[in-house]
Amino acid sequence: MSKFSFAPALQPQISIAGSNQLFPVRRVYCIGRNYAEHAVEMGHDPKTSLPFFFQKNPNNVNETGNFIYPSHSNDVHHEIEMIVALCSGGTNIDVSQADTHIFGYSIGLDMTRRDLQAEMKRLGRPWEVSKAVEGSAPTSQLHLREETGFITSGIIKLLVNGEIKQESNLNKMIWSVSEQISILSEYYELAAGDIIMTGTPAGVGPVKKGDVMLGSIEGLGDLTVTVD
Ligand code: MN
């Protein structure tokens, strides 16, 4: 007989391209304002001394190809981001060793209730209701790092209904993937199963029901998500 009083929730997971195995998601870290032009479009100075992070819920990870427009918002935004998935972790990881913890990469979307985020910022309250939204981390399959190599550049792009909304290069991140892993590990104990959403370039904007988002990252294929 199970020691649990009811069936435990399903383990959040991401499929792996070319494999029957699944990546079990432990935590979802996200970096804010990691491309200078996006920081500026959000009204901020990109030259900060340290990055900042927030988290989504592991079960916000969503590989269904659909995103259900959430309640309590009339201004839900797309943010195309590269997701980095970790196969190991630790604390105080040296930046020179950080890339050795990378399992693979996927194309992700950090779907955001922008109106609620602005309200929470104004009130000095936490961002959870704007970021940890149900299904708010659509992702493609993971591509193994041993196949892609260590990714430091490449075009990242998002089209909505065929129109280009976001386009930049991964090499324009303010804080590199290695720096993000290293700095996060000063605050948290990173572990296998953690994923990092590495920030979005400029061009974020609203979606509405029926919109089709097509994200792509050089070397990682593409991701199609319909807003329901
Ligand atoms: Mn984001």
Side-chain angles (χ1 to χ4, degrees), residues 30-33 38 54 56 79-81 109-112 114 131 197-200:
C30 309
I31 187 169
R33 294 171 211 146
H38 173 60
F54 58 91
K56 287 178 182 274
E79 296 188 359
I80 184 76
E81 314 208 357
L109 284 161
D110 169 14
M111 301 304 295
T112 303
R114 191 71 74 206
K131 288 293 192 178
M197 302 192 78
T198 58
T200 196

